Amino acid sequence: MSDTPSHDKPSTNSQWGGRFTEATDAFVQRFTASVNFDQRFAHQDIQGSIAHATMLSKVGVLTEQEKNDIITALNAIKDDIDAGKFEWSVALEDVHMNIESELTKRIGITGKKLHTGRSRNDQVATDIRLYMRDQIDLIAAEITRLQQGILSVAERYASTIMPGFTHLQTAQPVTFGHHLMAWYEMLTRDYGRLIDCRTRMNQSPLGAAALAGTTYPIDRSLTAELLGFEHPTRNSLDSVSDRDFGIEFCGFAALLLTHMSRMSEELILWTSAQFDFIDLPDRFCTGSSIMPQKKNPDVPELVRGKTGRVNGHLVSLLTLMKSQPLAYNKDNQEDKEPLFDTVDTVKDCLRAFADMIPAITPKAQSMRSAAMQGFATATDLADYLVCKGIPFRDAHEIVGKSVAFGLETGKDLSEMTLEELQQFSDVIDGDVFDVLTLEGSVAARDHIGGTAPRQVLLAVEAARTDLQSR
Ligand code: ARG
């Protein structure tokens, strides 16, 4: 058998040109090519090919020598790619055909045997899973780093008091540590979603071939094991067609970024002159070319903005998958750019936050005076009256009148004299000031999930134990 077909015909694609009578239109070639972006998972493509070749030799489809030649050449190609010496060709369409064609160039007919019992359809489904799994591990580690940063700040400022808000109106005093631990909880759920997604993704589609499986005596469990997958996928049609794992990843990412946009929004508000709650180090901010006094919180603003593209990618992938009939369709080539951009954006945003969060410092005095402004301990006064036997609705009324008096006289509840408070109810005693102070208010919320400094420290400790078992 010769390497080149003997009959005369116009030059067509060397990988699948057998049944074609003319070459692909030059524009169509560029339009259908994916090599400019899928070369990103060249490593995973080679990893998958090495596992496939190893399996083929185990089952006797390739000789030991052929397998060794293939693996040696693939590793050399990988080194060339890493060194930037590999020439990618759009004419060879995608990462798979570029590498396979180079393999054949290097080792001749043996290279052509690698694709036995395999199709680009199961190959690409394998490569994306391997790539996404690697990226998920990096992203998971970065979420953990951010959470560790949050814990250190929450612990340091477990008893620093700030106003808590509902409707962005002062509601009740909370501790800064408690507020940060709310962020921590959001990220814990995001982390869980990411790990769930990894578990469902971690199955090997290799062996599904084009769509129906293959006639060769392949060992799918072996390739699954060699590639670190839990087990082979269970249906060949499904294996080569569904990209739900990518959608799931984008769903995770959209929620993560949505959470980070909420954190960003708070950081932006807090650094404004109107709130003045925290200081962001200069290295995370930029100035204005025209207003010399400006220090802008660009990092959180950009993270808030990047939430838009990540949410967009989720919708892109959902729409891409919608109504696709089984099995593989070329549509699926469009999964890569949204996925890659999501990976890059998530990694960048997490990195920026993990670096920045440990460096934020609260302005305790400023937070304190803000907490003193909106009658934040009004609920505490009502609870105090209820403890003294007043029905809650009456207590509500009494406190309402006290607040009106405070508005008139410019005094917070804790700044009124005992006599002033007693004009609204004679059950009020000197002990009322224990609950009207900011410290008394937060310390009283001393139960699981409450804002008391003691609870914040317990939550930090429990969180540290959780992180250790990841
Ligand atoms: N570049 C293709 C993709 O990303 C690889 C699979 C091509 N398969 C095919 N039958 N054309 O989806």
Side-chain angles (χ1 to χ4, degrees):
M1 227 205 333
S2 143
D3 257 22
T4 38
S6 54
H7 52 280
D8 287 342
K9 77 190 196 57
S11 123
T12 57
N13 185 297
S14 60
Q15 313 286 308
W16 40 251
R19 61 100 69 215
F20 284 71
T21 55
E22 60 174 356
T24 317
D25 176 88
F27 171 71
V28 169
Q29 195 169 66
R30 272 182 281 125
F31 182 66
T32 54
S34 55
V35 66
N36 287 335
F37 47 85
D38 65 16
Q39 56 179 267
R40 187 194 271 241
F41 50 66
H43 273 200
Q44 287 80 9
D45 192 69
I46 289 172
Q47 189 189 356
S49 290
I50 289 176
H52 182 64
T54 306
M55 181 278 291
L56 288 182
S57 83
K58 268 260 164 55
V59 301
V61 173
L62 288 181
T63 66
E64 184 76 9
Q65 185 60 48
E66 287 170 331
K67 175 204 75 174
N68 290 339
D69 290 350
I70 287 174
I71 294 179
T72 308
L74 282 174
N75 280 323
I77 290 173
K78 181 169 150 226
D79 291 343
D80 283 357
I81 292 172
D82 289 346
K85 287 194 280 187
F86 190 87
E87 271 191 43
W88 298 101
S89 156
V90 170
L92 291 166
E93 200 177 313
D94 55 26
V95 61
H96 323 292
M97 295 205 289
N98 266 267
I99 292 176
E100 194 193 324
S101 147
E102 179 63 23
L103 181 71
T104 302
K105 223 191 266 172
R106 294 189 187 194
I107 60 172
I109 196 166
T110 306
K112 292 187 177 180
K113 293 188 178 179
L114 170 65
H115 213 50
T116 313
R118 182 177 82 166
S119 148
R120 277 185 297 152
N121 296 351
D122 61 341
Q123 195 177 351
V124 71
T126 304
D127 292 0
I128 315 179
R129 281 174 169 84
L130 289 173
Y131 172 81
M132 289 307 298
R133 200 178 65 186
D134 291 346
Q135 296 304 317
I136 284 175
D137 291 344
L138 295 175
I139 290 168
E142 207 61 347
I143 296 179
T144 301
R145 187 165 78 90
L146 169 56
Q147 288 189 290
Q148 279 159 345
I150 292 177
L151 289 184
S152 67
V153 187
E155 183 175 47
R156 205 171 319 137
Y157 303 107
S159 47
T160 303
I161 292 174
M162 66 182 282
F165 301 93
T166 60
H167 314 267
L168 205 57
Q169 310 287 320
T170 300
Q172 291 171 355
V174 295
T175 49
F176 187 54
H178 191 56
H179 192 112
L180 291 181
M181 288 306 285
W183 292 1
Y184 178 91
E185 289 300 319
M186 299 175 197
L187 293 169
T188 297
R189 291 190 297 278
D190 292 327
Y191 183 90
R193 272 183 282 273
L194 180 64
I195 300 305
D196 288 352
C197 165
R198 187 194 196 281
T199 307
R200 262 185 296 280
M201 184 187 298
N202 199 25
Q203 304 182 4
S204 176
L206 209 53
L211 75 164
T214 176
T215 54
Y216 297 95
I218 57 168
D219 182 348
R220 294 195 60 210
S221 299
L222 177 60
T223 39
E225 191 190 319
L226 291 171
L227 294 171
F229 287 119
E230 275 311 312
H231 50 77
T233 50
R234 279 181 272 264
N235 180 290
S236 64
L237 294 166
D238 174 51
S239 310
V240 292
S241 62
D242 208 338
R243 296 291 182 264
D244 59 350
F245 59 87
I247 298 175
E248 217 179 317
F249 174 79
C250 286
F252 142 80
L255 274 167
L256 171 72
L257 264 287
T258 297
H259 284 152
M260 291 177 77
S261 78
R262 296 180 63 198
M263 301 169 198
S264 297
E265 174 73 7
E266 294 188 325
L267 291 170
I268 295 160
L269 286 172
W270 293 347
T271 50
S272 71
Q274 288 68 26
F275 273 80
D276 195 33
F277 280 7
I278 60 163
D279 197 43
L280 263 190
D282 286 359
R283 63 183 182 280
F284 300 107
C285 300
T286 61
S288 156
S289 54
I290 176 167
M291 298 167 284
Q293 85 285 9
K294 290 296 289 288
K295 173 172 159 183
N296 298 325
D298 282 36
V299 170
E301 284 178 280
L302 208 47
V303 170
R304 186 177 60 181
K306 283 186 186 290
T307 309
R309 68 203 278 164
V310 169
N311 289 353
H313 293 326
L314 170 61
V315 175
S316 292
L317 288 194
L318 282 168
T319 314
L320 174 67
M321 201 70 241
K322 178 183 176 294
S323 314
Q324 271 196 51
L326 288 170
Y328 175 85
N329 300 288
K330 182 78 169 180
D331 310 41
N332 282 340
Q333 183 164 291
E334 281 290 297
D335 65 352
K336 289 165 200 65
E337 288 155 298
L339 261 181
F340 294 161
D341 189 65
T342 304
V343 164
D344 293 345
T345 306
V346 162
K347 276 162 64 181
D348 285 352
C349 291
L350 282 171
R351 179 188 170 158
F353 258 53
D355 289 348
M356 179 182 69
I357 295 296
I360 59 176
T361 32
K363 297 183 169 175
Q365 200 39 55
S366 185
M367 284 180 168
R368 201 186 161 76
S369 28
M372 290 293 283
Q373 268 161 33
F375 301 98
T377 55
T379 315
D380 299 83
L381 179 56
D383 292 343
Y384 169 89
L385 293 167
V386 168
C387 285
K388 299 264 175 176
I390 311 261
F392 184 78
R393 278 290 149 228
D394 295 341
H396 193 285
E397 172 80 13
I398 294 167
V399 178
K401 288 190 172 135
S402 317
V403 166
F405 175 76
L407 283 170
E408 222 170 85
T409 55
K411 288 183 180 175
D412 180 63
L413 295 171
S414 63
E415 292 166 334
M416 294 176 194
T417 64
L418 184 57
E419 293 69 40
E420 283 172 331
L421 286 167
Q422 280 172 338
Q423 26 167 358
F424 305 108
S425 169
D426 53 15
V427 304
I428 297 179
D429 264 328
D431 60 351
V432 73
F433 294 105
D434 297 344
V435 306
L436 288 188
T437 60
L438 299 175
E439 282 72 17
S441 172
V442 295
R445 288 163 170 79
D446 190 14
H447 52 74
I448 296 172
T451 199
R454 198 179 82 86
Q455 290 297 333
V456 174
L457 292 175
L458 287 173
V460 168
E461 199 182 302
R464 287 231 166 89
T465 313
D466 279 357
L467 290 190
Q468 259 155 27
S469 63
R470 274 189 185 168

